[in-house]
Amino acid sequence: MQYTYFKPCDYDFSQTVVSLLKKSMAENKDRIAVVSGNRSLTYGELDILTDKIANYLKPYGVGREKVVSILLSRNEMMVVAAVGVLKAGAAYQPLDPSYPDDRLAFMISDAEAVALITEDKLISRIGNFDGVTLNIKDIEELETEEINYSTKPQDLFILLYTSGSTGIPKGVMLEHKNLVAFINWYVRYYSL
């Protein structure tokens, strides 16, 4: 088997997923950013919707090193919710609606989630959640204003859990710098 190795390369280590997204949003406002079935959002629309989520969450103390759980059906709003959480400075925890209710409850509790973004048909799956709950149907009505983004490369980006098929689910934490390094490698490797 032949392996291709690359020399280490320099890139801007101060970048975060949020700063990279903001750059793309500013440069590509009218281009399609998200597609799900027959629905799509431009970068400009994505920017506005995600700012609304971040503005809504910030007054509730959502920010650095906090986790927001996202329990949604597969559609374009999964991306909107995740980016909105990141813009608020927090990490997001994607939850799979196919998991049993007790596993979802364990994962939210174990992550110490301070907020939950969900939808009408799934909200009943989460019993006694104490934090802030945002229903995706309410996002359009939220106010938007300029956000001061303060995300740092070492901040938590995502909290992923194993399925728990062999016992209790285990959490894996990734920081912004992990994904930014991967993005830089990917762009270089595939000559994008």
Side-chain angles (χ1 to χ4, degrees):
M1 184 181 297
Q2 179 93 16
Y3 292 100
T4 303
Y5 293 97
F6 287 95
K7 295 178 188 172
C9 65
D10 287 330
Y11 61 91
D12 186 349
F13 292 92
S14 69
Q15 294 297 311
T16 66
V17 175
V18 174
S19 64
L20 294 176
L21 281 169
K22 284 299 292 175
K23 183 175 185 245
S24 288
M25 290 171 174
E27 293 173 355
N28 302 293
K29 283 193 181 303
D30 297 324
R31 296 184 73 188
I32 299 296
V34 180
V35 176
S36 177
N38 61 356
R39 301 175 80 188
S40 65
L41 295 170
T42 65
Y43 279 96
E45 292 167 330
L46 180 64
D47 194 22
I48 291 167
L49 289 173
T50 54
D51 278 356
K52 288 180 179 207
I53 293 171
N55 279 318
Y56 178 80
L57 293 174
K58 282 229 175 225
Y60 292 104
V62 174
R64 295 185 72 214
E65 302 306 313
K66 301 291 184 187
V67 175
V68 176
S69 298
I70 299 174
L71 179 62
L72 295 171
S73 304
R74 290 188 180 269
N75 60 47
E76 74 283 357
M77 294 310 284
M78 291 175 71
V79 174
V80 173
V83 175
V85 169
L86 294 173
K87 281 183 169 184
Y92 73 98
Q93 175 193 36
L95 298 172
D96 188 334
S98 70
Y99 288 170
D101 292 358
D102 60 339
R103 185 171 296 156
L104 293 172
F106 168 81
M107 291 163 61
I108 291 172
S109 174
D110 189 61
E112 299 178 0
V114 296
L116 170 68
I117 300 175
T118 191
E119 58 191 306
D120 283 337
K121 68 181 180 180
L122 296 173
I123 202 162
S124 64
R125 303 277 315 275
I126 307 301
N128 304 358
F129 180 67
D130 293 2
V132 177
T133 301
L134 174 60
N135 192 314
I136 57 164
K137 72 177 182 183
D138 299 328
I139 292 171
E140 283 284 346
E141 305 306 316
L142 297 176
E143 294 189 25
T144 187
E145 53 191 65
E146 188 151 340
I147 298 172
N148 177 17
Y149 304 102
S150 59
T151 310
K152 298 184 179 350
Q154 65 274 15
D155 287 348
L156 189 59
F157 166 73
I158 191 169
L159 182 57
L160 295 170
Y161 276 76
T162 63
S163 65
S165 58
T166 59
I168 296 174
K170 308 279 189 299
V172 177
M173 299 185 294
L174 295 174
E175 297 174 344
H176 281 262
K177 65 183 177 184
N178 302 124
L179 190 58
V180 170
F182 175 77
I183 290 167
N184 279 280
W185 167 84
Y186 189 90
V187 167
R188 191 165 154 244
Y189 185 82
Y190 290 104
S191 302
L192 298 178

